[in-house]
Amino acid sequence: MQYKPLEKYGAIGDRNAIALVGRDGSIDWCPLPHVESPSVFAALLDADRGGRFAIRPAQSFDSVQRYRDRTNVLETTFQTAGGSATVTDFMPVPEATGSTDLPPALFRKVTCESGPLELEIAFDPRFDYARDVPEIEPVADGVVAVGDDERAVLSSDVPLAPSSDDPGANGAVTLESGETSWSVLGYDETIPLELARFQEILDGVVDYWRGWTHDCDGSDCPVGGPWHDLATRSSLVLRLLFHGETGAVCAAPTTSLPEDLGGVRNWDYRFNWIRDAAFTVRALSELGHLEEARSYFQLCLDHCRHHDPASVPPVYGLHGGGDFEERVLDHLEGYRGSAPVRIGNAAREQHQLDVYGELILAIYESVRYGEAVTTDDWAVMCDLIEYVCEGWDEPDAGIWEMRTDREQFVYSKIMCWTALDRGIDLAEAADRVDAPLERWRSCRAAVREAILERGVSERTNSFVWSFDDEATLDAANLLVPVVGFLPPDDDRVRGTIDATLDRLATDDGLVRRYDGDDGLPGTESPFVVSSLWLVTALALSGRTDEAADRFDSVLEYASPLGLLAEAVDPETGEQRGNVPQAYSHIGLINGALSLADADDSADGPPASPAPLGRDESIADVASNREIVRRPTDTE
């Protein structure tokens, strides 16, 4: 068996589970019943033993994939010498069906456009990351896979039978033009074969996605113009990644897809990272999805209530807890032979100072869009900000989760400053007399002074990786003007952009995260989100044409469906890392917003937000989408 490029997969889901469907009609990755559960199909990580569920023509074929307009309903159209057919794949979202009695399920409808056309079904489940090979038994209208502790029932109007030479089931059907066929996989339960009801479920799912999706007539749209459709697709990806039961954001629905082929940088991303919070809130709020943005920041804040402020974990399970022990699945060969395959993530135990700033910034953004901060919320925020005052000068693992000794990462300090700065703004706006403002202001000034004295290279006039480092770059420092630490026209911001272009960027618009030693063998591929941060920094700095050109270059690497992985191989242009990646799609939306802002402010630099009045909502100034402050060096 061969592995497909990641660009040849589409993602479907019910906001609890997500499956990847290949352009060849094969579902090669699907954990059930939740995205963080063990896999039922994992051919993505081992083409021979991982398991898959395929529907495709018996003859040689060409195929294309597309999403039904403004939905996460995926259509794969096959063309053979004798005819054509389309497989429509979806999972029923509970809100769409009006019922919670449906088990987690994969629905696959085949429609023959011209025929006759013979299609084959290959059902080959492997429970528990292919450690449990189930028994396949015939049942009415299908087959059942029975494992040690799991079962899955495939119902179909195509006759299915257990295979004689492998532990799976097969079937075949010849369809004439206009004929349809249904196959439905129910996890742990049987879904009765009711074809008319299936069509009603499909119609409801289509209506659900279209009812949620950002829509406009092209006028007064925050992401109008050439990037509108990709930004809309990115919002739909984020909606898939928002866990329906808890509101947590899954960083990606896959594990162990390598950052570089044959390397060891293979991580499990099926968790919720706090650092996604601020930029997720902004992206969703700008597209009108205020409820999701508010619930997400509240979820992150709720997590912090249960931890000492000094030990807030940077990552959480989608249900709040979760098994984070990092383990290697030695029996799987990995995508295209890239072992190890890991489940769990040791980043849970890391100390990352940047998350405090990202969390307080998310709250600040939420307030700008009309959210109220309760007394309990404020108490948690004060505890976090107080910890920043005490611990900002500690070394940490940094935004990139270094598995080396802790360092004094500059970006972590910038986000500590951001936590203090936004906390002060919120306290002043709400006249919080209990806030120790003088202490916070003094600490903010001390953090700022340390960053400017020890975090900027005199030789390159750019922000660097860690304190007292004169050479190493970190692409995260492109966010300096975005969080308002310095204005976009500051020479040190310009120097950071130019140094990034010179040393971290490729000619094709891609940007590596850093050029320092991360303690791991091999090399990393350029990251999509850092490439999009450069777009935003350029746009804020008035280099709009350059920003737009680089934005277009990065978007060339999106899949034909508009999906983005974590990274891109600069030699082949193939996507690398886990897919679809929330951070990448958040970066795309915010990059488009930044370019739109730059167009709106073509006659001058972006405006600073209006001061926050005690009795006004920050939503009144939400049209100023970038939070750009212009502090002095003596602040």
Side-chain angles (χ1 to χ4, degrees), residues 35-316:
V35 69
E36 71 271 39
S37 301
S39 62
V40 175
F41 307 111
L44 184 68
L45 297 178
D46 194 309
D48 290 327
R49 69 187 68 152
R52 58 173 50 80
F53 176 18
I55 299 178
R56 53 193 169 213
Q59 307 89 353
S60 61
F61 58 83
D62 293 322
S63 62
V64 295
Q65 283 184 316
R66 73 177 188 95
Y67 282 110
R68 223 178 256 198
D69 184 44
R70 297 172 43 239
T71 76
N72 283 314
V73 174
L74 183 66
E75 296 179 338
T76 306
T77 298
F78 299 100
Q79 183 72 50
T80 72
S84 65
T86 297
V87 178
T88 300
D89 287 307
F90 66 97
M91 299 179 73
V93 183
E95 298 97 317
T97 62
S99 172
T100 58
D101 61 356
L102 270 179
L106 290 162
F107 282 66
R108 314 198 73 182
K109 177 186 179 183
V110 183
T111 304
C112 182
E113 285 90 24
S114 62
L117 187 65
E118 184 182 1
L119 294 116
E120 297 177 336
I121 297 178
F123 177 59
D124 187 20
R126 297 286 189 273
F127 296 131
D128 193 21
Y129 303 111
R131 291 179 291 195
D132 180 4
V133 180
E135 296 289 332
I136 306 296
E137 303 170 0
V139 294
D141 298 323
V143 293
V144 59
V146 181
D148 293 338
D149 299 302
E150 298 179 84
R151 65 193 296 270
V153 185
L154 178 59
S155 302
S156 179
D157 55 12
V158 176
L160 300 171
S163 174
S164 59
D165 54 1
D166 62 63
N170 300 293
V173 63
T174 298
L175 297 179
E176 301 288 346
S177 178
E179 290 186 329
T180 63
S181 173
W182 286 87
S183 297
V184 181
L185 177 67
Y187 180 77
D188 198 43
E189 296 183 35
T190 301
I191 298 179
L193 200 61
E194 301 172 346
L195 306 188
R197 181 177 179 233
F198 292 170
Q199 184 60 48
E200 291 177 358
I201 292 173
L202 172 57
D203 293 342
V205 169
V206 169
D207 289 344
Y208 166 80
W209 290 118
R210 288 179 177 169
W212 180 87
T213 307
H214 162 75
D215 190 22
C216 67
D217 58 7
S219 62
D220 196 29
C221 177
V223 288
W227 307 295
H228 178 273
D229 290 348
L230 275 174
T232 300
R233 174 51 52 194
S234 289
S235 72
L236 281 162
V237 171
L238 292 179
R239 183 62 171 172
L240 269 186
L241 294 171
F242 262 78
H243 200 273
E245 292 183 358
T246 65
V249 175
C250 177
T254 55
T255 180
S256 300
L257 294 179
E259 294 175 18
D260 64 303
L261 290 182
V264 301
R265 302 163 187 264
N266 315 326
W267 315 110
D268 191 347
Y269 276 10
R270 296 172 297 161
F271 304 105
N272 174 40
W273 266 261
I274 286 182
R275 73 168 48 95
D276 294 354
F279 299 109
T280 301
V281 166
R282 181 188 180 228
L284 290 174
S285 296
E286 284 295 335
L287 296 180
H289 305 305
L290 296 177
E291 181 180 349
E292 291 81 359
R294 291 167 181 167
S295 65
Y296 180 55
F297 109 81
Q298 190 65 56
L299 175 74
C300 291
L301 199 59
D302 287 345
H303 284 317
C304 296
R305 299 181 203 278
H306 306 297
H307 294 275
D308 181 271
S311 58
V312 172
V315 58
Y316 294 90

Side-chain angles (χ1 to χ4, degrees), residues 16 114 205 288 417 454-455 484 491 502 565 587 618:
N16 289 314
S114 62
V205 169
W417 176 91
R454 302 179 62 191
D491 284 344
D502 183 50
I618 306 179

Side-chain angles (χ1 to χ4, degrees), residues 466-483:
S466 60
F467 275 177
D468 305 320
D469 186 323
E470 277 296 311
T472 311
L473 293 180
D474 182 352
N477 291 328
L478 292 167
L479 295 173
V480 163
V482 176
V483 301

